[in-house]
Amino acid sequence: MGVDKGTAKDQAARAGAELVEDGMIVGLGSGSTSALMVDCLGDRVRSLGLKITAVATSEATARQARELGIPLVELDQVQNLDISLDGADEIDGRFAMIKGLGGALLREKIVAAASRLRVTLITAAKQVEKLGAACPLPVEVSRFGLAHTERRLQGLGAVTKIRRSAEALVITDGGNCIIDCKFAEIADPAGLDQTIQGLPGVLETGLFVGLCDVLIIGEADGVRQIEADRAGRRSTD
Ligand code: 5RP
C-alpha cells in the first residue's frame, strides 16, 4: 500500500496490528483500513518473526496476506479466533456499526462472531449519532429473486439500490448480490437487523450489533482506544 502511511487511518491500523501477539489466530478484515493493518502485520511477521495464523474475510485480503507471507487457514480449520481486526463504515455511541460498503459483510460478520476479541479500526469521521443518516445499509442477498427481495426491503421503508459496477451486478466473494438500503433513520439497529434477516432471500445485513469490543480511533498524531462493556456501551472515553 503506502498511499495512506502516516495518516489517521494508518495510525489506527498500526495500533490494531500491535495488539496481535505471538501464537494468535487472527481474523483479518477487509477494506482500506484493514489493508493498512495487514501491511503492518506483514512487517511484524517478516521483520520480527511474529508467529500467527490468520483467517481472511475476503479474497482481496487473502491475496494480500499471502503476498506478505502471513499464513492463512480456512475458518472451519479453527474453533475460535483470538482476535479480529476490521474497519467500519459508521459506528454509534453504543458501538453498533454499519459495515459492508466494501462488500465483505457476510464473511466479516461470521469471522467477528467467531472471535474472542473484536477490534474496530476507524477515524473520527466514522463516528455518528445515529446509524444510517449518511451511509446506506448494505444487505447481502441471493441472486435468485433479487427483484422480489428488493421489493420486500422497500416495504420496510428503504430506498434501495442494487449494487452495480459499470452496469454489471457486483457479485460478492460468496456469489451473492448486494442491495444498498437507505433508511430515513435507524432507531433500533438490533431490531432492524432481525427484521431484515427474516426476509426470504436475505443472507446477511451490514448491521453489526454487539460485535465491537475495542474501538481504535486514529488521529493525526496517535490513537484513542475505547473499550465497550458487555452491553455495548462505552466504558471509557
Ligand atoms: C468491507 C467493510 C469495511 O470494513 C468498511 O467498508 C470500511 O472500509 P474502509 O476501511 O475502506 O473505510 O465493511 O465490507
Side-chain angles (χ1 to χ4, degrees), residues 30-34 86-89 99-105 108 126:
S30 297
S32 60
T33 317
S34 293
D86 203 349
D89 299 303
K99 286 182 51 55
L101 288 192
L105 62 144
E108 286 173 337
K126 304 284 183 77

